[in-house]
Amino acid sequence: MNVLLLLNGFKGRALEELRSSLYNELRTSEGAKRQQQRFCGPVVAMSFNFFVAVGIILTNKLVMGRVGFNFPIFLTLIHYSIAWILLAFFKTMSLLPVSPASKTTPFSSLFSLGAIMAFASGLANTSLKHNSVGFYQMAKIAVTPTIVFAEFILFRKTISFKKVLALAVVLAGVAVATVTDLEFNAFGACIAIAWIIPSAINKILWSNLQQEANWTALALMWKTTPVTISFLLALMPWLDPPGVLSFKWDINNSTAVLTSALLGFLLQWSGALALGATSATSHVVLGQFKTCVIVVGGYLLFNSDPGFVSLCGAVAALGGTSVYTSLNLKEANHQSSSKQLPTQIPLPKSKTSENGSEGSTVTSTSIVV
């Protein structure tokens, strides 16, 4: 009996020490970043983002289609407002990780990210309203070459000729899928094109701030969400039709909108985790895999029919993206192996001591640099 009490005491102290350790880790930006990397690696983060993204795209199409909530910017505003409320709750419960020191990240960077996020998210929902689900996903393929171009402009990153050819196939496939989409409309296409650049820059900034400045996903969301909300309020009169106050807020419609809002929070969180664990290009390549699932879901749920030629263009674009990803993986593996290989510098053999035996020598060692 005494042994059991002693073991229970040890377990209680161990749990208390673990909770205290986790709490202390969240009190510093470096510790919070370590915890995020420990519990949410690339596979977990990208799987989380995949399932949430598929769910929210189909849910938003349901909300703006069958439910009749034709206010995509206001829907995005509801998403970020719910996210802000949840983040405030986390902060009240001391569950929100500490942000890095203000001197490490200027306010202009956070403000820019919040503004770009408003355009990226708002235009995404507007594009989803005015385009078919398949066309919406096909337009996302063009984000990959846009990220490469933006990284060259911002960080002077260059790519090989083989990657250029792969990206050319992607662009050609997107062009075929866009022009031959049977559900194509001019305004929806303009919104989709306008969304591509903010979406690419948004992914680059999220990835860069987390990997270079020790930001966690939740801490960065807490700092940028107020800016995003203010810009969404400014976009509403321009992109949303009138009549939002006359919408019928019954139980079914309110539940659908609230479900979309909760998924929106999870999408933002999971997307930030994936960008922090991988890179902007890897995250958008994940979107290409989601394309197949979304196109099938749109066909089954919303009778969307992109047409045979559009599907061929999308497949060609996916093939080009797959080749580009393969080249990236080979390059990364080559760089990793070259760093791990030790460079051996032979030392001159020492002469046999005159007083020692003739057969005794000192073996030279190698220095790893």
Side-chain angles (χ1 to χ4, degrees):
M1 188 66 177
N2 293 332
V3 175
L4 291 177
L5 291 175
L6 185 61
L7 289 176
N8 290 333
F10 282 140
K11 289 180 181 179
R13 283 196 297 270
L15 290 175
E16 184 65 28
E17 290 176 359
L18 177 61
R19 185 174 64 178
S20 176
S21 176
L22 290 175
Y23 179 82
N24 292 331
E25 282 283 278
L26 294 177
R27 296 303 92 199
T28 63
S29 59
E30 293 83 1
K33 182 65 178 178
R34 285 194 298 269
Q35 291 300 320
Q36 178 175 299
Q37 293 173 338
R38 176 184 177 186
F39 293 105
C40 196
V43 176
V44 174
M46 298 187 79
S47 299
F48 181 25
N49 182 244
F50 168 76
F51 289 110
V52 173
V54 172
I56 193 173
I57 290 175
L58 297 179
T59 302
N60 283 354
K61 195 67 177 178
L62 176 67
V63 169
M64 290 184 285
R66 295 182 181 179
V67 174
F69 192 82
N70 297 317
F71 312 99
I73 301 298
F74 185 57
L75 180 62
T76 309
L77 178 63
I78 295 175
H79 287 183
Y80 281 95
S81 299
I82 295 296
W84 175 253
I85 294 172
L86 291 174
L87 290 170
F89 173 76
F90 291 160
K91 187 172 181 63
T92 303
M93 301 298 294
S94 298
L95 297 175
L96 195 68
V98 174
S99 304
S102 58
K103 61 182 180 181
T104 61
T105 305
F107 175 74
S108 59
S109 298
L110 299 176
F111 183 84
S112 300
L113 178 57
I116 291 173
M117 193 159 47
F119 284 95
S121 301
L123 292 177
N125 281 340
T126 306
S127 174
L128 189 60
K129 173 192 172 184
H130 293 283
N131 295 308
S132 65
V133 177
F135 183 84
Y136 168 80
Q137 285 298 116
M138 291 173 187
K140 293 181 70 173
I141 299 175
V143 176
T144 303
T146 306
I147 287 177
V148 175
F149 179 74
E151 286 184 332
F152 172 75
I153 297 297
L154 297 175
F155 308 111
R156 295 300 174 186
K157 291 184 179 180
T158 59
I159 59 175
S160 64
F161 180 70
K162 291 182 179 179
K163 292 182 180 179
V164 172
L165 292 179
L167 292 176
V169 174
V170 174
L171 291 175
V174 171
V176 172
T178 301
V179 174
T180 57
D181 191 349
L182 297 179
E183 299 182 47
F184 173 87
N185 75 81
F187 181 76
C190 291
I191 293 295
I193 293 173
W195 163 79
I196 290 173
I197 294 178
S199 177
I201 297 177
N202 179 54
K203 294 177 186 298
I204 292 172
L205 291 179
W206 271 99
S207 180
N208 186 66
L209 284 176
Q210 289 188 82
Q211 295 182 7
E212 302 295 333
N214 282 327
W215 283 89
T216 59
L218 290 176
L220 200 53
M221 288 167 61
W222 172 252
K223 291 293 185 179
T224 57
T225 299
V227 180
T228 303
I229 290 175
S230 62
F231 271 86
L232 288 172
L233 287 171
L235 286 174
M236 277 183 61
W238 298 92
L239 295 177
D240 271 357
V244 64
L245 296 179
S246 61
F247 180 74
K248 184 180 180 181
W249 292 98
D250 57 18
I251 296 179
N252 293 333
N253 293 346
S254 300
T255 302
V257 173
L258 182 60
T259 302
S260 174
L262 293 175
L263 287 174
F265 168 73
L266 294 177
L267 178 67
Q268 186 186 0
W269 186 19
S270 63
L273 290 173
L275 286 167
T278 56
S279 66
T281 304
S282 298
H283 183 255
V284 78
V285 167
L286 174 65
Q288 315 316 327
F289 177 67
K290 288 184 288 189
T291 300
C292 302
V293 179
I294 295 302
V295 169
V296 173
Y299 176 77
L300 296 177
L301 298 178
F302 306 110
N303 297 320
S304 176
D305 186 12
F308 177 75
V309 179
S310 291
L311 289 177
C312 289
V315 170
L318 290 175
T321 305
S322 300
V323 173
Y324 179 79
T325 304
S326 176
L327 292 173
N328 270 342
L329 292 175
K330 289 181 180 179
E331 182 178 303
N333 291 334
H334 177 72
Q335 292 177 352
S336 177
S337 60
S338 63
K339 288 181 181 179
Q340 293 177 357
L341 286 177
T343 303
Q344 293 186 347
I345 304 177
L347 294 177
K349 294 182 179 181
S350 61
K351 295 182 180 180
T352 305
S353 175
E354 293 180 358
N355 296 329
S357 62
E358 295 182 358
S360 64
T361 58
V362 180
T363 305
S364 62
T365 59
S366 60
I367 301 176
V368 179
V369 294

